[in-house]
């Protein structure tokens, strides 16, 4: 019989800790719902004690999803465990995930604790957590640099305290597949009870996925991973890669899981849309080129028979052909049907908002592709607060004059207009917006990319601003890159004002 592997997704915790990946509450709930559709077994929703915002997000996710287990991270401290439990207790399936470092380096320099103290704290804190919640995961931070006999001693204490899952993290991405196989097998053979064995691999040496696969072979039945492999430093093991390795090589690895592979692409794109962090074009599974055949000899083979150069089908991960689908005469009904076909679920208000954007785009662009529709429904329609609406902008530029931009907005039904100059058109436009609102934002990041093909491709602009220490993302969509950029900045301002 094949062994079932559970997928523990930590995109919203370890992933969110990586630079540029922070998300607000609404974005986290949206992502969590995508993860539920993907059918992950566990969603690690955050680190409840780390901030009030994190606490509220974990709580909101606990209330928003039904099927997966919802976990919050907690150090092995009573106050962390209390906060974690308060955040997850309303979930249908709550879990407290508590951790303590075990390696000599961490014991000596970080914790300043002896081995005996680590053993005692593990037992006491797991037991404390167990009094609140049935499902307790214990992680031995930096497990792969811990003396293996001591690691087992710690895990046995966690079992005595009531842990249901033991996690072996390769916190610093140090281990290698063969070595990790031996460690996981050693732990499995020496613990006093047959609880779930989990692994959590970081990618510092590019081995996170290979190490996770090795661990599964050695007996681990839970893997911790993130969408697109985001995470601390070089990231975590990429969920989509582990899933598709097990799926594509089912002939070799006889393990089952419950992941709905056709949701992979949508989950990946949702994360990119929220964070603005793209994956590299040649990224396995979800990269733009992962299913592109460029060389003539390959194209020829694929035309004859796809299996010559394709080991999995694009459909398997939910990748739809980027076909021309709608035009300016398409009605709301056709638009709505298309959204459903693409696998999205919007409520009536969202459909109305999205349809309005679609009509604007279709006025300027003859052919609307699947990628345009997907960009429209990802374009913050859920979050559009519309306190500030762009009425008009005028650009004056050339290679012999200083660019100036005039921007007119409707802010809570009052009209404001300002003109500003800058080092370029975008700088001038952003300066004009700042003049209107008399707020000093720090622009942290700005980028623009096209989401479909052709000269009239839709441009998706993103800005990231720092407002009083808070990072806020804004997005804008238009066939005109300047307009897309202005909309993105106004979208961020809207979020500040709300
Ligand atoms: O990398 C790590 O060790 C972690 C633990 C908290 C599980 O993220
Ligand atoms: Zn980690």
């Amino acid at each position: 019989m094949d062994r079932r592997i559970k997928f523990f997704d930590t995109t919203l915790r370890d992933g969110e800790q990586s630079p540029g990946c922070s998300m607000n509450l609404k974005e986290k709930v949206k992502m969590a719902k995508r993860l539920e559709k993907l059918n992950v077994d566990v969603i690690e929703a955050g680190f409840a004690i780390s901030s009030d915002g994190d606490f509220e997000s974990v709580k909101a996710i606990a209330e928003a999803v039904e099927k997966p287990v919802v976990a919050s991270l907690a150090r092995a401290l009573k106050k962390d465990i209390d906060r974690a439990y308060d955040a997850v207790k309303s979930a249908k399936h709550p879990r407290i995930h508590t951790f303590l470092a075990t390696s000599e380096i961490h014991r000596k320099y970080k914790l300043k604790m002896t081995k005996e103290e680590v053993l005692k704290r593990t037992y006491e804190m797991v037991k404390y957590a167990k009094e609140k919640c049935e499902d307790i995961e214990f992680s031995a931070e930096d497990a792969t640099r811990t003396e293996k006999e001591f690691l087992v001693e710690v895990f046995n204490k966690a079992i005595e305290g009531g842990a249901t899952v033991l996690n072996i993290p390769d916190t610093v991405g140090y281990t290698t597949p063969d070595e990790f196989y031996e460690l996981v097998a050693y732990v499995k053979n020496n613990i006093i009870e047959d609880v779930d064995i989990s692994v959590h691999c970081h990618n510092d040496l590019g081995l996170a996925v290979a190490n996770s696969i090795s661990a599964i072979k050695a007996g681990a039945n839970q893997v911790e991973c993130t969408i697109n492999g985001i995470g601390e430093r070089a990231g975590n093991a990429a969920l989509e890669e582990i899933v598709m390795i097990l799926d594509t090589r089912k002939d070799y690895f006889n393990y089952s899981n419950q992941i709905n592979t056709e949701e992979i692409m949508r989950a990946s794109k949702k994360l990119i849309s929220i964070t603005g962090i793209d994956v590299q074009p040649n990224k396995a599974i979800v990269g733009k080129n992962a299913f592109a055949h460029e060389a003539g000899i390959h194209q020829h083979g694929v035309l004859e028979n796809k299996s010559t150069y394709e080991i999995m089908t694009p459909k398997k991960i939910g990748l739809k052909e980027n076909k021309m689908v709608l035009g300016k005469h398409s009605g709301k009904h056709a638009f709505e049907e298309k959204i459903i076909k693409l696998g999205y679920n919007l409520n009536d208000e969202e459909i109305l908002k999205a349809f309005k954007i679609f009509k604007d785009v279709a006025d300027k662009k003859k052919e609307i592709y699947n990628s345009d529709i997907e960009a429209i429904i990802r374009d913050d329609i859920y979050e559009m607060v519309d306190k500030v609406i762009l009425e008009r902008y005028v650009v004056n530029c050339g290679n012999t004059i200083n660019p100036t931009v005039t921007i007119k907005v409707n802010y809570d039904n009052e009209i404001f207009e300002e003109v500003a100059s800058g080092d370029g058109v975008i700088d001038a436009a952003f300066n004009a917006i700042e003049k209107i609102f008399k707020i000093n934002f720090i622009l942290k990041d700005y980028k623009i990319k096209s989401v479909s093909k052709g000269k009239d491709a839709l441009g998706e602009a993103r800005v990231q601003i720092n407002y009083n220490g808070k990072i806020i993302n804004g997005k804008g969509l238009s066939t005109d890159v300047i307009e897309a950029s202005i909309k993105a900045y106004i979208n961020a301002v809207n979020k500040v004002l709300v």
Side-chain angles (χ1 to χ4, degrees):
M1 230 192 51
D2 54 4
R3 189 150 49 86
R4 186 161 114 65
I5 308 301
K6 296 180 192 164
F7 280 81
F8 174 116
D9 182 280
T10 183
T11 305
L12 297 170
R13 199 279 297 168
D14 214 322
E16 208 246 355
Q17 279 171 222
S18 55
C21 287
S22 58
M23 301 173 225
N24 64 31
L25 184 145
K26 272 192 183 166
E27 291 167 338
K28 286 187 186 174
V29 171
K30 276 190 261 166
M31 193 64 217
K33 289 195 171 160
R34 274 273 143 228
L35 295 172
E36 186 174 32
K37 284 205 152 102
L38 185 61
N39 218 11
V40 299
D41 298 85
V42 185
I43 294 177
E44 185 162 53
F47 188 2
I49 199 155
S50 67
S51 69
D52 288 347
D54 237 53
F55 175 85
E56 292 304 333
S57 300
V58 178
K59 194 160 174 289
I61 291 168
E63 282 156 16
V65 301
E66 293 224 329
K67 209 172 160 215
V69 171
V70 178
S72 170
L73 188 66
R75 288 167 299 182
L77 294 172
K78 281 189 176 168
K79 61 176 183 188
D80 280 41
I81 292 169
D82 291 343
R83 198 81 175 134
Y85 182 62
D86 282 344
V88 295
K89 67 181 175 204
S90 53
K92 262 209 160 140
H93 312 285
R95 175 180 293 182
I96 298 174
H97 175 195
T98 187
F99 73 100
L100 184 62
T102 49
S103 65
E104 191 187 0
I105 301 173
H106 280 238
R107 292 193 313 260
K108 192 165 163 194
Y109 298 107
K110 187 177 88 173
L111 299 175
K112 302 192 178 6
M113 283 169 84
T114 62
K115 280 184 171 176
E116 287 61 40
E117 284 166 331
V118 168
L119 290 168
K120 186 165 177 286
R121 173 87 69 83
T122 301
Y123 172 72
E124 285 174 356
M125 288 305 107
V126 172
K127 188 161 178 291
Y128 181 74
K130 187 75 174 185
E131 281 157 18
K132 295 173 177 280
C133 184
E134 174 49 38
D135 188 357
I136 305 296
E137 172 167 336
F138 173 77
S139 286
E141 193 189 7
D142 206 15
T144 51
R145 293 191 299 169
T146 300
E147 308 88 320
K148 66 181 194 318
E149 300 77 9
F150 179 60
L151 184 62
V152 165
E153 269 188 75
V154 176
F155 279 149
N156 283 336
K157 284 287 171 212
I159 291 175
E160 282 169 21
T164 37
V165 185
L166 299 176
N167 183 34
I168 313 174
D170 184 26
T171 304
V172 288
Y174 178 72
T175 197
T176 61
D178 290 348
E179 185 188 45
F180 202 40
Y181 180 98
E182 280 168 29
L183 180 66
V184 174
Y186 180 83
V187 168
K188 195 154 167 71
N189 291 334
N190 287 284
I191 50 175
I192 52 177
E193 214 175 274
D194 195 15
V195 293
D196 279 357
I197 300 285
S198 174
V199 290
H200 173 113
C201 297
H202 279 272
N203 205 29
D204 299 66
L205 294 173
L207 289 170
V209 169
N211 288 335
S212 305
I213 295 288
S214 236
I216 292 173
K217 279 177 79 180
N221 63 335
Q222 176 180 285
V223 273
E224 305 198 356
C225 39
T226 59
I227 303 294
N228 299 342
I230 65 167
E232 282 277 8
R233 305 181 309 278
N236 288 62
L239 176 143
E240 63 280 3
E241 294 180 23
I242 302 178
V243 170
M244 290 315 291
I245 289 169
L246 298 183
D247 189 279
T248 308
R249 297 307 313 276
K250 184 102 178 98
D251 59 322
Y252 182 71
F253 300 108
N254 200 18
Y255 310 120
S256 65
N257 66 76
Q258 64 170 33
I259 297 294
N260 183 0
T261 62
E262 294 202 2
E263 287 293 330
I264 285 179
M265 208 61 209
R266 275 188 283 276
S268 166
K269 283 191 178 163
K270 178 96 233 163
L271 184 65
I272 294 170
S273 143
I274 292 174
T275 60
I277 308 284
D278 245 318
V279 293
Q280 84 232 34
N282 60 330
K283 160 88 175 64
I285 319 295
V286 293
K288 177 163 130 275
N289 296 345
F291 290 90
H293 302 279
E294 194 67 30
I297 192 164
H298 288 201
Q299 286 175 349
H300 176 74
V302 169
L303 284 176
E304 289 294 316
N305 187 323
K306 284 202 161 62
S307 65
T308 49
Y309 287 99
E310 254 177 33
I311 57 168
M312 53 197 153
T313 66
K315 187 170 175 291
K316 191 90 210 221
I317 59 154
L319 190 64
K320 301 259 177 342
E321 251 185 276
N322 194 18
K323 284 199 200 121
M324 205 263 277
V325 282
L326 297 175
K328 81 186 225 181
H329 300 297
S330 309
K332 184 162 157 280
H333 190 65
F335 178 71
E336 212 173 324
E337 270 190 355
K338 190 72 221 172
I339 289 178
I340 295 168
K341 265 209 184 129
L342 287 172
Y344 294 88
N345 225 335
L346 306 191
N347 64 33
D348 290 350
E349 193 198 341
E350 289 164 353
I351 288 180
L352 266 183
K353 280 185 169 183
F355 185 63
K356 194 173 165 302
I357 304 173
F358 163 73
K359 277 292 182 194
D360 287 348
V361 171
D363 266 344
K364 295 178 190 144
K365 194 172 183 299
K366 280 202 293 301
E367 296 161 341
I368 306 283
Y369 291 84
N370 276 337
S371 56
D372 294 319
I373 310 260
E374 289 196 298
I376 289 169
I377 59 182
R378 284 198 309 265
D379 185 39
D380 258 0
I381 52 162
Y382 316 93
E383 264 182 47
M384 267 199 224
V385 267
D386 295 344
K387 246 179 148 16
V388 183
I389 298 163
L390 175 66
E391 291 275 325
R392 167 175 91 101
Y393 69 95
V394 178
V395 175
N396 189 10
C397 70
N399 61 350
T400 53
I401 55 169
N402 226 3
T404 57
V405 177
T406 307
I407 292 193
K408 187 172 166 184
V409 297
N410 178 324
Y411 173 25
D412 259 353
N413 297 325
E414 251 191 86
I415 298 294
F416 295 83
E417 188 165 11
E418 283 293 349
V419 58
S421 58
D423 284 338
V425 175
I426 302 299
D427 188 35
F430 290 180
N431 288 341
I433 296 170
E434 284 170 24
K435 254 172 126 180
I436 293 174
F437 295 99
K438 300 179 182 56
I439 307 178
N440 221 347
F441 307 111
I442 300 166
L443 182 66
K444 297 261 302 171
D445 199 14
Y446 161 73
K447 46 189 169 225
I448 180 120
K449 68 171 185 188
S450 78
V451 297
S452 55
K453 26 185 177 173
K455 287 201 295 232
D456 61 351
L458 267 186
E460 186 181 84
R462 290 173 170 281
V463 297
Q464 194 171 71
I465 58 177
N466 183 330
Y467 176 63
N468 281 348
K470 258 188 138 184
I471 299 296
I472 294 158
N473 292 305
K475 277 179 283 181
L477 199 65
S478 171
T479 48
D480 179 320
V481 292
I482 298 172
E483 183 171 303
S485 308
I486 295 173
K487 281 184 170 170
Y489 211 68
I490 288 182
N491 180 238
V493 172
N494 263 315
K495 289 184 186 170
V496 170
L497 296 173
V498 170

